[in-house]
Amino acid sequence: MTKSFFLKSLFISLIGFSGICEGESFAQDIKEMLYVGTYTERDSQGIYVFEFDRAEGRLTQVQTISDRDSPTYLDIHPNGGYLYAANRQGTMENPEEGSVSTFQINQQTGELKH
């Protein structure tokens, strides 16, 4: 993935993220996390975890989950404790089919654990 394609994908994700937050009030000291799933082609590695500082308008990369399965579609469980990734590639048993991965979200840091 080229850097410009990654940045465009991130920008689109941010637009969606800001749309979700519109109209809701957030305290300035609450940590906001952004999870970005990507195709693992060229230079992209998988899932990127960012912390968003609303007061300063800054994103800081916290973690990268290297995943060869192209985890492109992400969703967070309603309880906020898990992140699900729909993967383009399948498992070793079924390589032609897609798969789903589950990650536990650390509530203090926002980091993911497979």
Side-chain angles (χ1 to χ4, degrees):
M1 172 182 299
T2 64
K3 187 173 185 175
S4 65
F5 181 77
F6 174 75
L7 293 175
K8 287 177 190 174
S9 298
L10 179 59
F11 180 71
I12 291 168
S13 296
L14 287 175
I15 290 172
F17 178 72
S18 65
I20 291 169
C21 297
E22 267 181 42
E24 298 180 26
S25 63
F26 289 93
Q28 292 297 322
D29 60 343
I30 294 176
K31 183 181 296 191
E32 296 180 64
M33 303 307 295
L34 177 67
Y35 300 94
V36 180
T38 63
Y39 286 109
T40 52
E41 297 172 356
R42 299 183 201 98
D43 295 332
S44 180
Q45 295 183 26
I47 299 174
Y48 295 86
V49 180
F50 296 92
E51 181 179 344
F52 179 59
D53 183 330
R54 183 176 290 273
E56 298 199 17
R58 181 180 52 202
L59 278 177
T60 304
Q61 187 171 343
V62 174
Q63 181 184 25
T64 302
I65 302 290
S66 296
D67 191 334
R68 63 171 182 75
D69 297 331
S70 292
T72 52
Y73 298 99
L74 307 177
D75 198 10
I76 296 177
H77 188 276
N79 73 11
Y82 300 94
L83 180 128
Y84 302 104
N87 305 307
R88 186 173 71 166
Q89 276 87 25
T91 62
M92 290 176 62
E93 296 82 22
N94 296 308
E96 299 300 317
E97 299 177 8
S99 61
V100 175
S101 299
T102 305
F103 299 88
Q104 184 175 18
I105 299 172
N106 181 310
Q107 297 301 303
Q108 300 300 317
T109 66
E111 291 182 353
L112 302 174
K113 179 181 177 185
H114 198 278

